[in-house]
């Protein structure tokens, strides 16, 4: 009896496993192609690769470079102007206050 | 400040100023004449030579602000408070430069002006913290409470600085890591341009912090005299 059951299990296994394997191999290419489509979009770039041909300069690099350096100098210049104004205003106020203190007899 | 120490200070300031101007001239020559155009990105990569040292100058400014604030909280000395204000203002200026020059490079390199990358986000956060510091200090003549609160804010902002630095190593993002440990490095002429730019921006940051701290001490003196006149 045990031998009969064992033979049945073996037969079933031998019959089912090729069918299951066939299903697996049928599904595999689809999953693999899906994964291949996702990879470039999701992975972090490890190098910069230049575009060759007419698309290479679609965004003008020179203009962006000029804008960046202009931003740096303009902001520094404006800050220097602001600081100069602040120093001048404070110096005038200090002079006025000192004069007022002297006039009131405390200087 | 005595007459002699004022003369020494002015001479030293002038020396640093001329040295900085000379190094800036050499830096611009090296960037545009000596350093080669980058193979992949083209000429827009040259933004890097001002963008990265600006970020470093931002660290210097915010670091000076946190240092001044910490010592002010311990000693209640107005000179350290002036350093805190000067550092915050200069750091915010360089943070603004970083946040404006970065997108100009990114538009070409990434195809977008802005992305919520960890380094970009933490830099923006630092800028906002120190902008809040400056907003707090600009509300008329700051009293003792406002000064202490602002000093605490500067120390809070200090926590964000290592986050900016290590964000590219700890978290997934798109920001380049060219000159860090994981990076592929630069060509020797590019290193020269970057090195000179670092020196120039250090000189500029030191000069600006120095001048702004001096102006802040004068403002404090004017406030003290006003108070004296009012209570006479």
């Amino acid at each position: 009896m045990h031998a009969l059951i064992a033979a049945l299990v073996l037969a079933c296994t031998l019959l089912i496993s090729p069918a299951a394997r066939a299903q697996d191999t049928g599904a595999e290419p689809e999953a693999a192609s899906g994964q291949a489509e996702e990879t470039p979009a999701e992975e972090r770039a490890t190098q910069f690769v230049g575009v060759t041909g007419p698309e290479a300069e679609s965004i003008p690099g020179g203009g962006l470079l000029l804008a960046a350096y202009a931003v740096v100098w303009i902001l520094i210049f404006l800050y220097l102007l602001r600081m100069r104004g602040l120093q001048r205003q404070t110096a005038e106020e200090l002079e006025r206050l000192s004069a007022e203190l002297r006039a009131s007899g405390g200087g | 400040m005595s007459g002699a120490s004022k003369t020494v200070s002015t001479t030293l300031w002038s020396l640093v100023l001329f040295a900085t101007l000379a190094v800036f001239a050499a830096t611009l020559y090296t960037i545009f004449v000596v350093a080669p155009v980058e193979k992949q990105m083209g000429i827009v990569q040259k933004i890097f030579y001002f963008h990265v040292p600006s970020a470093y100058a931002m660290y210097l400014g915010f670091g000076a602000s946190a240092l001044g604030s910490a010592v002010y909280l311990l000693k209640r000395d107005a000179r350290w408070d002036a350093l805190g204000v000067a550092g915050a203002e200069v750091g915010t200026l360089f943070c603004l430069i970083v946040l404006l020059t970065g997108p100009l490079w990114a538009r070409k390199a990434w195809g977008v002006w802005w992305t919520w990358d960890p380094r970009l986000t933490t830099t923006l956060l630092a800028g906002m913290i120190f902008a809040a510091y400056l907003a707090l200090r600009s509300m008329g003549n700051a009293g003792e409470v406002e000064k202490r609160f602002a000093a605490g804010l500067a120390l809070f902002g200090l926590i964000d600085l290592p986050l900016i630095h290590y964000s590219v190593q700890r978290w997934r993002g798109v920001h380049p890591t060219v000159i860090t440990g994981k990076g592929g490095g630069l060509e020797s002429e590019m290193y020269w341009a970057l090195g000179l730019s670092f020196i120039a921006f250090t000189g500029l940051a030191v000069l600006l912090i120095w001048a702004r701290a001096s102006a802040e001490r004068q403002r404090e003196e004017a406030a003290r005299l006003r108070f004296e006149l009012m209570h006479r």
Side-chain angles (χ1 to χ4, degrees), chain B residues 18-181:
Chain B
F18 285 117
T20 303
L21 288 174
V23 177
F24 256 111
T27 304
L28 287 171
Y29 178 80
T30 315
I31 290 171
F32 290 104
V33 180
V34 179
V37 172
E38 208 272 333
K39 190 180 172 185
Q40 309 294 342
M41 277 180 283
I43 201 164
V44 81
Q45 179 269 343
K46 287 182 188 285
I47 291 175
F48 164 85
Y49 302 114
F50 266 32
H51 174 77
V52 178
S54 294
Y56 159 72
M58 175 192 78
Y59 286 132
L60 282 182
F62 290 160
S65 179
L67 174 73
S69 299
V71 181
Y72 175 72
L73 285 175
L74 290 172
K75 291 188 173 179
R76 299 286 193 274
D77 185 336
R79 284 175 300 179
W80 289 101
D81 179 59
L83 178 67
V85 173
E89 212 170 277
V90 173
T92 306
L93 169 76
F94 285 111
C95 185
L96 193 60
I97 289 174
V98 170
L99 291 173
L100 289 173
T101 54
L104 289 165
W105 170 85
R107 180 71 185 91
K108 175 80 176 173
W110 297 336
V112 290
W113 297 103
W114 180 265
T115 178
W116 294 101
D117 170 87
R119 176 163 273 186
L120 274 65
T121 309
T122 47
T123 306
L124 179 66
L125 181 66
M128 288 165 77
I129 291 170
F130 282 93
Y133 174 102
L134 294 175
L136 186 65
R137 293 303 300 259
S138 66
M139 292 172 185
N141 286 318
E144 182 62 22
V145 176
E146 287 87 356
K147 283 179 184 175
R148 287 200 323 235
F149 188 81
L153 201 55
L155 291 176
F156 176 68
L158 182 71
I159 300 168
D160 190 42
L161 301 187
L163 288 181
I164 298 172
H165 188 74
Y166 291 107
S167 59
V168 288
Q169 293 166 26
R170 305 293 299 173
W171 297 309
R172 193 181 165 89
V174 290
H175 195 280
T177 54
V178 179
I179 54 169
T180 57

Side-chain angles (χ1 to χ4, degrees), chain B residues 201-216:
Chain B
F201 272 83
T202 304
L204 182 63
V206 167
L207 284 170
L208 291 177
I209 293 171
W210 191 339
R212 183 64 187 86
S214 167
E216 188 60 25

Side-chain angles (χ1 to χ4, degrees), chain A residues 45-99:
Chain A
T46 53
Q47 61 173 1
F48 295 120
V49 180
V51 177
T52 52
E55 295 166 77
E57 285 298 321
S58 59
I59 301 165
L64 292 171
L65 177 71
L66 194 70
Y69 277 77
V71 158
V72 174
W73 293 118
I74 289 169
L75 283 177
I76 291 171
F77 182 70
L78 287 176
Y79 185 68
L80 286 175
L81 274 184
R82 182 191 173 277
M83 196 139 62
R84 189 174 161 223
L86 182 73
Q87 277 178 332
R88 186 178 287 177
Q89 190 187 345
T90 314
E92 281 172 7
E93 195 179 2
L94 268 174
E95 207 168 307
R96 184 180 58 79
L97 289 167
S98 300

